Amino acid sequence: ENTGDHETLEELEPVCWRQIELLKEAFAGDMLDVEKAGNIFIDWNFDLDKQACGQAIWIYALKDMIRIEKVLGHDTKNLADDVQAKTKAALSLLDEKTGLFVSGSDRQVSYASQLWMILAGVVTAEQGRQILRKLDHYENAVKLNSPYAYHHYIQALIDAGMKEEAYRRMHEYWDGMIREGSDTFWEIYNPLDPDMSPYGGLAVHSFCHAWSCTPAYFLRKYFY
């Protein structure tokens, strides 16, 4: 987008298509089969059910693929049809009683599921605001454990028109690492359990993690 370098885009387009081809095999009709999809990384949380997240990320990626194909002057009808079908399936995961997306046979409610549905544009900005407000009052919602996942939470708040809330949450979360005595940002940070480790020990963590410095991106793009 910044350089207009179509040559590089054309060179990488087949790689994008290959990712789509690989994950397409994991769908049972229009709903993602997580068992077939394999290891979809969403967050460092082994309790997180990834069906709803994976469904939303598929839609998110298809929409980016449409953008690429339009730049290259290619037909996007099949992609658009797939987005429509997968979005309809995604909306079937929206629980009428709670107004929140559920995931898996246990109908798990998680922050990750809600934020990815918002980022994928499955719901409108107004619906996204309602979902995010309800989420904070849902006692058993599975929370986030990494700056990587929290990055997408901040982006979802911004996309839903909750810019002031995004700023506040960003300060609360990343400032927590500073209060812990760090001068860099970590790969994994759970404010309720700063010593948690999916690796079996803190020594294996990255304590200066590239993905975790994204407040620098948010502050420049949206706030200053």
Side-chain angles (χ1 to χ4, degrees):
E1 288 179 336
N2 288 315
T3 67
D5 181 4
H6 285 202
E7 184 179 348
T8 300
L9 191 61
E10 289 170 356
E11 182 181 347
L12 295 177
E13 183 205 21
V15 180
C16 300
W17 274 116
R18 182 58 180 151
Q19 308 312 303
I20 289 175
E21 291 166 3
L22 288 170
L23 194 58
K24 198 169 189 177
E25 298 172 0
F27 277 86
D30 290 318
M31 187 66 74
L32 181 69
D33 184 330
V34 177
E35 295 299 321
K36 290 183 180 179
N39 183 25
I40 303 172
F41 183 78
I42 307 293
D43 188 19
W44 280 120
N45 191 327
F46 297 118
D47 296 325
L48 176 65
D49 188 280
K50 300 176 181 179
Q51 180 196 34
C53 299
Q55 183 82 14
I57 290 171
W58 172 261
I59 296 165
Y60 181 95
L62 286 183
K63 288 182 175 180
D64 271 354
M65 195 68 207
I66 288 173
R67 292 170 61 201
I68 290 170
E69 294 301 277
K70 284 183 175 179
V71 169
L72 296 176
H74 298 163
D75 182 68
T76 61
K77 184 180 184 305
N78 289 339
L79 286 167
D81 289 345
D82 204 11
V83 166
Q84 186 176 6
K86 298 303 190 292
T87 299
K88 183 178 179 181
L91 286 168
S92 72
L93 300 176
L94 187 61
D95 183 79
E96 291 184 6
K97 185 177 179 180
T98 63
L100 299 170
F101 285 96
V102 296
S103 186
S105 58
D106 292 336
R107 299 178 66 78
Q108 181 191 86
V109 172
S110 70
Y111 274 75
S113 292
Q114 317 311 314
L115 69 87
W116 273 110
M117 289 294 183
I118 293 167
L119 293 174
V122 171
V123 293
T124 65
E126 175 55 35
Q127 290 171 319
R129 284 193 290 276
Q130 293 175 12
I131 286 170
L132 290 167
R133 286 168 182 151
K134 289 175 182 176
L135 186 61
D136 282 337
H137 300 286
Y138 193 89
E139 185 177 350
N140 296 320
V142 176
K143 294 182 169 57
L144 307 171
N145 288 334
S146 69
Y148 170 84
Y150 224 88
H151 163 97
H152 292 100
Y153 176 46
I154 300 301
Q155 187 67 64
L157 286 165
I158 292 170
D159 287 0
M162 301 172 70
K163 192 175 173 182
E164 290 184 6
E165 180 72 3
Y167 188 83
R168 183 176 70 81
R169 294 295 177 105
M170 180 174 62
H171 269 269
E172 286 176 354
Y173 183 75
W174 272 270
D175 188 52
M177 285 177 268
I178 296 171
R179 289 195 301 271
E180 291 288 339
S182 180
D183 55 7
T184 57
F185 292 132
W186 310 341
E187 176 185 8
I188 300 151
Y189 175 57
N190 180 341
L192 300 178
D193 183 11
D195 293 333
M196 77 160 288
S197 173
Y199 300 119
L202 293 176
V204 192
H205 287 192
S206 163
F207 283 101
C208 184
H209 205 61
W211 244 109
S212 302
C213 69
T214 53
Y217 158 78
F218 285 122
L219 290 171
R220 285 171 171 82
K221 183 167 184 178
Y222 295 105
F223 299 104
Y224 298 107

